[in-house]
Amino acid sequence: MQNSSNPFLRINELLDFLELKDVPGIDFSSDFPMRVPLSYAKKMQKGNPDDPLLRQVLPTLQEKIESEGFLKDPVGDTLAQKENGILQKYKHRILLIAGNTCSVRCRFCFRRNSKLLMPSNLPILLQEYLEKDSSIKEIIFSGGDPFMTPISVIEELIKKAIPAKAVRTIRFHTRVPITEPELAKTYLPLFEKYSERFHFVLVLHANHAQEISNETTNLLKQFQNANVLLLNQSTLLKGVNDSAETLAELSHTLFENGVLPYYLHLLDKAQGTAHFEVNEQDAKKIYHKLLTLLPGYLVPKMVRENQGEKSKTPVF
């Protein structure tokens, strides 16, 4: 039996857990190996090979198809790297590669081919960067996933931002509250400890309402009580959430849990992800219908990230 503290790393073990046999098109030799926490797998419907959560994490042979316009670095992370582990694409904000691993390996990940890693001296590099650029107002912790990085390292990075008077907001982008809520809970004291100095923002990445379990609900209440602003970003994915009704259900579920929908991303065209793409024309039709199903404050902004642009590009 799978230990609750260990993820599924072998495809056959995950399929056995889900009571699935003879699933076609699986890639058992992917260069981007599978990782699925037990707590996430428990949210999947057993016996259903088309489960929307399973589709996000199961390696398939479609990933080996080379498609025109799909790149190893689709959003220009490499060009945006100002220092080792520090990216800046937009004014007044920097992004830290504050993690080398993820709780779950999403098959549509735009960094699935990335070689960017968190350097061991990132705290020093951050301190030096903030000392020479006093215009930075917000620091974004990304990765990998920052909630997979030792708490002591994350706290050291936060401490390096304290002397920078312009920095008022620290934002975390993480899937861990969705995939491993018990692990995410261990980071809560950091937000409480430094809440008087910084505004903390937690951006989740849920693509489907099925991902919000009771454990995640309880965790999000605790983050709310710590005065953390909770947002969510999703990616529009073929076969996962490519209908207005599915997206509306997600928005309602998020709001019931104190989370505001933030972004709905069109797929970043990373090599190996073309089978997830919803073309822009169809995406607009879905979005226009979504506008009729939700109040404005529950409609995420549909955007595309274009390399070299000074902001996300709205798609209407």
Side-chain angles (χ1 to χ4, degrees):
M1 180 175 290
Q2 191 76 14
N3 188 302
S4 61
S5 63
N6 293 328
F8 289 99
L9 301 177
R10 296 182 179 182
I11 294 173
N12 282 335
E13 291 178 356
L14 176 62
L15 295 181
D16 287 345
F17 174 78
L18 295 174
E19 300 173 3
L20 289 169
K21 295 181 180 179
D22 301 323
V23 179
I26 295 176
D27 183 6
F28 289 94
S29 59
S30 174
D31 294 332
F32 185 54
M34 186 190 77
R35 188 186 196 280
V36 182
L38 176 60
S39 53
Y40 191 69
K42 284 181 176 179
K43 302 177 186 183
M44 301 175 188
Q45 182 182 8
K46 291 188 176 182
N48 181 10
D50 295 319
D51 179 88
L53 276 59
L54 178 61
R55 289 180 67 89
Q56 294 181 59
V57 301
L58 187 66
T60 68
L61 294 173
Q62 290 174 298
E63 298 173 32
K64 292 189 180 298
I65 299 173
E66 293 190 9
S67 301
E68 184 178 354
F70 284 75
L71 310 172
K72 289 188 175 181
D73 184 8
V75 297
D77 277 352
T78 303
L79 290 175
Q81 187 168 222
K82 304 302 181 183
E83 300 288 348
N84 194 11
I86 301 177
L87 283 65
Q88 184 168 16
K89 297 180 180 180
Y90 311 129
K91 283 186 176 181
H92 309 306
R93 285 160 281 171
I94 57 173
L95 182 146
L96 306 182
I97 302 297
N100 290 331
T101 60
C102 287
S103 171
V104 61
R105 293 197 181 101
C106 303
R107 310 316 301 177
F108 55 89
C109 179
F110 70 95
R111 289 195 179 123
R112 58 177 289 153
N113 306 300
S114 175
K115 295 182 180 179
L116 293 177
L117 295 173
M118 179 180 67
S120 58
N121 64 336
L122 183 58
I124 298 300
L125 293 173
L126 174 61
Q127 179 182 352
E128 293 174 348
Y129 197 92
L130 294 175
E131 286 175 350
K132 69 182 181 182
D133 188 346
S134 60
S135 71
I136 302 302
K137 297 180 180 180
E138 181 176 19
I139 300 173
I140 302 166
F141 284 61
S142 184
D145 194 308
F147 277 15
M148 296 293 286
T149 299
I151 297 175
S152 59
V153 176
I154 297 299
E155 182 168 19
E156 188 176 2
L157 288 166
I158 292 173
K159 285 180 177 179
K160 294 300 183 183
I162 290 176
K165 294 181 180 180
V167 177
R168 295 297 301 152
T169 303
I170 293 181
R171 188 196 326 172
F172 285 80
H173 284 231
T174 176
R175 278 276 261 170
V176 177
I178 302 296
T179 58
E180 296 184 81
E182 286 302 313
L183 173 59
K185 187 185 298 184
T186 63
Y187 289 78
L188 183 62
L190 282 182
F191 294 86
E192 296 170 331
K193 185 175 181 179
Y194 296 99
S195 62
E196 292 187 7
R197 172 62 180 84
F198 299 108
H199 300 297
F200 284 107
V201 180
L202 190 65
V203 182
L204 309 175
H205 184 164
N207 295 313
H208 196 283
Q210 188 177 320
E211 293 180 298
I212 312 297
S213 63
N214 290 335
E215 291 78 12
T216 294
T217 292
N218 293 333
L219 172 68
L220 295 177
K221 288 179 181 177
Q222 295 179 61
F223 278 110
Q224 280 182 279
N225 291 336
N227 295 317
V228 177
L229 176 63
L230 300 176
L231 305 174
N232 182 72
Q233 61 178 358
S234 305
T235 303
L236 187 60
L237 300 168
K238 188 174 182 179
V240 174
N241 59 7
D242 54 337
S243 79
E245 290 78 11
T246 299
L247 292 170
E249 182 183 5
L250 172 60
S251 283
H252 283 301
T253 302
L254 289 168
F255 187 62
E256 289 168 3
N257 287 277
V259 183
L260 281 176
Y262 173 38
Y263 276 144
L264 174 61
H265 291 270
L266 295 192
L267 182 74
D268 293 319
K269 295 187 176 184
Q271 196 174 94
T273 68
H275 56 292
F276 284 113
E277 185 181 27
V278 178
N279 68 60
E280 190 166 315
Q281 183 178 359
D282 288 341
K284 288 179 178 180
K285 291 179 181 178
I286 293 169
Y287 193 69
H288 290 158
K289 186 175 181 180
L290 184 64
L291 289 170
T292 71
L293 299 178
L294 293 172
Y297 60 88
L298 290 188
V299 181
K301 300 173 186 176
M302 190 164 73
V303 296
R304 182 191 297 281
E305 182 169 352
N306 294 321
Q307 182 175 325
E309 295 292 331
K310 295 181 179 180
S311 69
K312 301 289 192 300
T313 301
V315 180
F316 300 106

